Every structure is written in structure tokens, then in C-alpha cells.
Amino acid sequence: MTSKETEAQARNGRSGRRPGQSGAREAILAAARTRFSEVGFDKTSIRAVATDAGVDPALVHHYFGTKQKLFAAVVEFPVDPEVTLAAVEAAPLDQLGETILRVVATVWDSPAGPGLIAALRTLLGGGEPELARTFLLEVVTERVRLRIATPEDDGRVRISLAISQVIGVLVARKIVGVEPLASMPIPELVATVGPTLQRYLTGEIEHAG
């Protein structure tokens, strides 16, 4: 047992909360799933999840680290979204479309791909639309939206169009297997679809308020 878990257990004992035991991780995930579904990502706190699960907040951090990683565990996302988001955030604004597509396609073509496909199937067909919306709008794309937002356009329409484009490509490429899209090399995919994605994000579109 690690020192962090021991310390968390000691605090739990003093507070009367559930000690860090084998069922604590599952209790945290169940509490987080309910919280994220009901109030979304931004309004969910580690402390609130810990209270619902009957554990010390230190134990939540011990098992999952950040709130973002906790959400990724709830939706069974096999990679850390922060890695992808960091690469996207480093891209110049006029290269966002091609960068997003390149990064996402590269991750999906990696060894993590099968796990990502399973996660996508769960989000699309698991009967939990609230979690899917939260994951896409608050975890994956909110920081991109903030980059493209202007006083006249909050970027929400643009982000929804971008999401539809990327999901469409991923479903056609990885789930349905539509050729030649399914076997198209990533550079060709980026060159073909990237400009459309860029137009959705920063170009001229109608009713973008």
C-alpha cells in the first residue's frame, strides 16, 4: 500500500468515511458518473465526488489524479485527453483544422485505437447522451472553442460543426470501414478534410452566432 493511500485511509478513519479499500475505486467511479451526468464537467468537483462516494478527496486524487483523468476513466477512454489537447493548443490558429485531424487520426491509428473505438461505441450507443455531450463539449473541445471565440461569435456552432466532421470521419474510417477513406494515409486525409474543418473553426459560415 502506498503512503498516499495510507494517509488517505487515516484521514478517512478520523472523518468516519469509508476507508480506502478494494471497493473504493468503484464507488468513486459510480459517484463521478452520476455527478458528471447530472451537472456536467465544470460543475463537478473532486470534493463533491468524494463526498458522494464516502471517501476522502485525497483518495480520489490517488486513484485518478485530475478531474479530467477521472472523467476519462468514467467513459473508459484509454488515453489521456490532455496529451492530444496540448498538441492542438500548440498549433497556430490558422492550422487548427489540419492539426486536430492529424493528431486525432494518429492516435486512432496507434495501438490505442481499438480501445478508442470501444469508447466511441460506448459514447454513441451506451444510452448515456449526457456523458457523451459532456465529454465532447466540456472536456475535449472547450479549450478549442475559447481560442476561436470572438465577442460576436462564441464559437459553439463552429465547434458543433467541427465535432460532426471529425466523428463522421472516424466512424467512416474506423467503424464502418468506408473505402478509400478507411485506408487513406493520414497526410492525404489531412490535406483533403483539414481545410473543411478549418473553415468550420475560423472561416466564413452562416449563422455562426
Side-chain angles (χ1 to χ4, degrees), residues 107-192:
V107 172
W108 279 69
D109 281 2
S110 75
L116 290 166
I117 292 172
L120 180 62
R121 289 182 186 276
T122 298
L123 285 173
L124 294 179
E128 296 182 297
E130 296 85 1
L131 281 178
R133 281 194 296 269
T134 296
F135 182 69
L136 291 172
L137 298 179
E138 297 185 35
V139 177
V140 175
T141 60
E142 177 62 9
R143 280 149 61 181
V144 175
R145 185 190 71 80
L146 291 174
R147 285 195 65 187
I148 65 174
T150 66
E152 297 77 27
D153 178 0
D154 64 12
R156 296 187 188 282
V157 170
R158 294 180 179 276
I159 285 296
S160 66
L161 291 170
I163 288 173
S164 70
Q165 184 75 38
V166 174
I167 289 179
V169 169
L170 291 178
V171 169
R173 185 174 169 88
K174 290 297 183 181
I175 295 180
V176 181
V178 176
E179 292 290 359
L181 185 63
S183 57
M184 186 178 291
I186 290 178
E188 184 179 347
L189 178 71
V190 170
T192 303

Side-chain angles (χ1 to χ4, degrees), residues 26-40 44 49 52 70-77 122-123 126-128 130-132 134:
E26 289 69 26
I28 292 168
L29 284 173
R33 179 181 295 275
T34 299
R35 277 273 174 181
F36 286 132
S37 296
E38 291 180 350
V39 303
T44 294
V49 170
D52 293 347
L70 173 60
F71 193 98
V74 166
V75 298
E76 299 179 350
F77 204 66
T122 298
L123 285 173
E128 296 182 297
E130 296 85 1
L131 281 178
T134 296

Side-chain angles (χ1 to χ4, degrees), residues 5-73:
E5 189 164 4
T6 302
E7 291 170 4
Q9 287 186 7
R11 283 192 291 271
N12 289 339
R14 291 196 299 270
S15 64
R17 291 179 175 180
R18 177 187 293 124
Q21 54 192 12
S22 60
R25 190 178 189 278
E26 289 69 26
I28 292 168
L29 284 173
R33 179 181 295 275
T34 299
R35 277 273 174 181
F36 286 132
S37 296
E38 291 180 350
V39 303
F41 181 81
D42 287 341
K43 295 181 180 179
T44 294
S45 68
I46 292 291
R47 183 170 296 277
V49 170
T51 298
D52 293 347
V55 302
D56 191 283
L59 201 59
V60 182
H61 288 293
H62 168 72
Y63 282 125
F64 301 101
T66 65
K67 185 171 71 168
Q68 189 171 35
K69 290 182 178 180
L70 173 60
F71 193 98

